[in-house]
Amino acid sequence: MSADSASINLTNHFLIAMPGLSDELFGRSVVFMCEHSERGALGLVINKPSDIQLSRLFEKVDLPMGRDDLAQLPVFQGGPVQTERGFVLHEAVSGEGESVYASTLSIPGGLEMTTSKDVLEAMASGAGPRRVFVSLGYASWGQGQLESEITENSWLTVEADPALIFDTPVAERYERAMALLGLQPWMLSPDAGHA
């Protein structure tokens, strides 16, 4: 691995699937990268909703839905790894530099990802983060795997915009992510160019 590829850090970026990526889960996907290091990468697919709403997820974990503003939100298919486990992406609610939840990853750029049930318990009581994105499962890449996929023309990358995660209708997220790069999907050939 060259020094250039070793120094790439896509934390707080979107991965945007190239039009030629035909994988069932990752085709036309936008992935928010929660963590990226030389050891690998972890992200959440932000535009593949499941058929479960947040209110139903709360029923399944025996919690009341204390937030009417969140009840109808879809739970997303965050990726193929640990699909029975919940991941809550939310605005930072840290105090004194520490997260208020037991198991939280602080992401540069102002977001946090929490995997402990206490964030759901806070939402059940009517509190918790103002804006949330909830997924079952996550996407991960081993050491060098993501860099290799980018080199193979599978993904575009752009700095993340939280408005795309929290404020953009799901059906528009792929095109809006492309627009962050000044592109539209039709502009890109599904085939890699080789001279």
Side-chain angles (χ1 to χ4, degrees), residues 14-152:
F14 290 134
L15 294 183
I16 307 164
M18 286 290 284
L21 187 61
S22 59
D23 179 87
E24 185 177 331
L25 177 63
F26 290 115
R28 289 188 56 87
S29 68
V30 179
V31 181
F32 175 74
M33 297 305 297
C34 300
E35 188 172 42
H36 184 215
S37 71
E38 66 280 348
R39 294 184 313 276
L42 179 150
L44 301 173
V45 178
I46 64 163
N47 66 329
K48 303 284 179 153
S50 71
D51 56 2
I52 302 170
Q53 291 183 327
L54 208 47
S55 57
R56 178 74 182 113
L57 178 69
F58 273 66
E59 285 175 26
K60 285 185 170 193
V61 294
D62 296 321
L63 288 173
M65 173 41 85
R67 298 269 305 272
D68 291 340
D69 61 318
L70 304 177
Q72 302 307 312
L73 288 180
V75 174
F76 287 79
Q77 299 171 42
V81 182
Q82 293 189 359
T83 55
E84 71 293 336
R85 188 169 178 199
F87 297 83
V88 181
L89 186 63
H90 55 86
E91 294 173 314
V93 289
S94 301
E96 304 297 318
E98 300 266 330
S99 177
V100 297
Y101 304 115
S103 183
T104 297
L105 171 67
S106 291
I107 303 162
L111 297 181
E112 295 179 337
M113 183 189 62
T114 300
T115 57
S116 49
K117 191 175 179 182
D118 52 356
V119 69
L120 298 180
E121 291 165 346
M123 291 161 47
S125 71
R130 186 174 67 84
R131 300 195 300 174
V132 299
F133 168 92
V134 179
S135 77
L136 293 175
Y138 66 94
S140 71
W141 292 263
Q143 181 176 1
Q145 183 182 3
L146 179 58
E147 293 82 354
S148 176
E149 289 181 15
I150 290 169
T151 302
E152 293 165 4

Side-chain angles (χ1 to χ4, degrees), residues 136-182:
L136 293 175
Y138 66 94
S140 71
W141 292 263
Q143 181 176 1
Q145 183 182 3
L146 179 58
E147 293 82 354
S148 176
E149 289 181 15
I150 290 169
T151 302
E152 293 165 4
N153 211 30
S154 295
W155 301 101
L156 294 170
T157 63
V158 66
E159 190 170 336
D161 177 358
L164 201 129
I165 300 167
F166 299 115
D167 303 326
T168 303
V170 174
E172 298 174 20
R173 291 180 184 176
Y174 184 74
E175 284 77 12
R176 294 260 185 104
M178 284 276 193
L180 292 172
L181 290 167

